[in-house]
Amino acid sequence: GEGEGGGGEGEGEGGGPPATALALGVGVGFGCAIDSNGHVQCWGANGSGQLGRADTTSQIGNRAEVVPGLSNVTRLAVAQSHACAAGDFGGVTTVVCWGDNTEGNLGSASGGLSAGDLVVPDVDLNILRDVDAIAADGDNNGDITCLHGGGETWCFGEQMPGYLPGHFAVRVSVLDAATELYDSLHAICGRIGSDAICTDTDTFAQGLGCTDGQPCPLLDATSFAFSDDFFCNTDDANTTRCLGENTFGVVSPASAGGGFTLTLTAVPGAGGTTVSAGTQHACVVGTDAVVRCWGRDLFFSTGRAPTDSALDDCNDAANDPSGITFCQAPEPVPMPPGFQAFTDVVTRATGSCAREVGGRVVCWGDLLTVGDQTGEAAVEIPLAP
């Protein structure tokens, strides 16, 4: 996912009050934020060095720590097991990435890299100086990263169409006019005017009409969210609509159980000003500043326990003799005491985080399990000073 923030070296370092979050990004089992001091802070698992620490063994769980060496950060993108940030680092405006690089998704050769290394992608410096959008995503098949700057879009990673071994950057000219970039597992999409164009022609992109160079129809919206098998947006009327695969009730909670629809369907009870998509669930922030999630609640991804039947709108009992609920209708995510109003929510796979109006962060789902697949309710992630 991508977030925007800003700021410089501020007060509060070295024992002062906690920083607040200006933007969020989540991966699989970890998350990061741009803080009010212009730094990046990360939390969660660290098996690929995605916390920006000089090791891959320590995990810091449900609290955040500053990634060393970054300041004046303006943009952040977090993928499955790596992250990238744009900012003014040591007087030079550039982009750096850290974490897993097995697929070349940091934009550099994997040889010689150590955990915690901040890697400058191997691309024209003029692009790095002018970066105005970043997106990153991935799964077990590999990760990808894309940058837009100076009117050009470049991507890294073996999943990218046109990738050649040893060539870390692939020009994606169909996204040169994009003003925003969106990640979608097997594709990167860009907003061009009121439409979106995707880089790939996998089944989902074709179903949306988003073949290379072709704008997606019916996507005029204030907020987009692409998943692997479905798409959601919000519009000026604060209505959330989805299309695509409906196995777990994301597109139509009342009729979950399969089927693929190419009709943008209003999701009852979702409302929403900002939408984010996980693998099999989605979340929105409504005009009432409440976070609501729906779809499959695997590993607590919707913020409600999988065995809680009180909020069920559909379930998978026919295929699961245990009767565990897998599908939830849009309902508020139970938040810790004192958290009431939120500005945005970000989700990936089966974990989510939301940013409170005052800049505090709460997360739920597999961002909190770190190896324990039982899932966990929403808790605050304290930021470091």
Side-chain angles (χ1 to χ4, degrees), residues 74-91:
T74 57
R75 293 184 180 274
L76 173 69
V78 180
Q80 171 166 295
S81 52
H82 77 284
C84 299
D88 180 359
F89 308 137

Side-chain angles (χ1 to χ4, degrees), residues 257-326:
F260 193 98
T261 175
L262 292 178
T263 301
L264 273 171
T265 303
V267 180
T273 59
T274 302
V275 63
S276 186
T279 303
Q280 297 169 338
H281 79 290
C283 300
V284 298
V285 176
T287 55
D288 55 3
V290 172
V291 178
R292 292 174 175 83
C293 297
W294 69 100
R296 191 179 188 188
D297 50 20
L298 184 65
F299 306 148
F300 227 103
S301 59
T302 65
R304 284 105 73 190
T307 55
D308 179 6
S309 61
L311 302 174
D312 298 353
D313 192 89
C314 50
N315 61 61
D316 196 29
N319 299 318
D320 184 356
S322 70
I324 294 177
T325 300
F326 284 117

Side-chain angles (χ1 to χ4, degrees), residues 44-316:
N46 193 41
S48 299
Q50 61 266 51
L51 300 186
R53 300 157 62 90
D55 64 77
T56 58
T57 57
S58 62
Q59 56 194 32
I60 55 178
N62 301 344
R63 62 182 178 83
E65 290 188 0
V66 174
V67 176
L70 303 180
S71 60
N72 301 301
V73 176
T74 57
R75 293 184 180 274
L76 173 69
V78 180
Q80 171 166 295
S81 52
H82 77 284
C84 299
D88 180 359
F89 308 137
V92 178
T93 302
T94 189
V95 175
V96 295
C97 301
W98 63 95
D100 178 72
N101 191 44
T102 56
E103 304 290 344
N105 43 276
L106 301 188
S108 178
S110 58
L113 294 183
S114 301
D117 284 352
L118 301 180
V119 178
V120 177
D122 186 11
V123 70
D124 191 291
L125 291 179
N126 289 324
I127 296 171
L128 299 180
R129 283 193 289 264
D130 295 329
V131 162
D132 53 23
I134 311 175
D137 206 346
D139 60 10
N140 294 332
N141 296 317
D143 289 355
I144 52 179
T145 305
C146 291
L147 311 174
H148 182 275
E152 298 181 5
T153 298
W154 290 80
C155 298
F156 321 106
E158 293 184 11
Q159 286 202 125
M160 288 307 304
Y163 173 85
L164 296 174
H167 295 264
F168 309 114
V170 176
R171 174 80 178 274
V172 186
S173 58
V174 295
L175 298 183
D176 282 351
T179 54
E180 302 171 46
L181 296 178
Y182 302 85
D183 47 80
S184 177
L185 276 187
H186 302 296
I188 292 289
C189 302
R191 181 167 188 157
I192 300 177
S194 60
D195 293 314
I197 289 179
C198 296
T199 61
D200 207 350
T201 56
D202 64 15
T203 302
F204 176 56
Q206 288 182 13
L208 290 177
C210 307
T211 56
D212 284 342
Q214 299 298 315
C216 305
L218 305 176
L219 300 190
D220 189 1
T222 56
S223 173
F224 293 98
F226 289 90
S227 184
D228 192 24
D229 295 310
F230 67 88
F231 161 86
C232 296
N233 69 19
T234 58
D235 60 24
D236 289 333
N238 303 124
T239 298
T240 298
R241 302 177 187 272
C242 299
L243 56 77
E245 178 59 51
N246 193 45
T247 298
F248 296 103
V250 176
V251 175
S252 180
S255 58
F260 193 98
T261 175
L262 292 178
T263 301
L264 273 171
T265 303
V267 180
T273 59
T274 302
V275 63
S276 186
T279 303
Q280 297 169 338
H281 79 290
C283 300
V284 298
V285 176
T287 55
D288 55 3
V290 172
V291 178
R292 292 174 175 83
C293 297
W294 69 100
R296 191 179 188 188
D297 50 20
L298 184 65
F299 306 148
F300 227 103
S301 59
T302 65
R304 284 105 73 190
T307 55
D308 179 6
S309 61
L311 302 174
D312 298 353
D313 192 89
C314 50
N315 61 61
D316 196 29

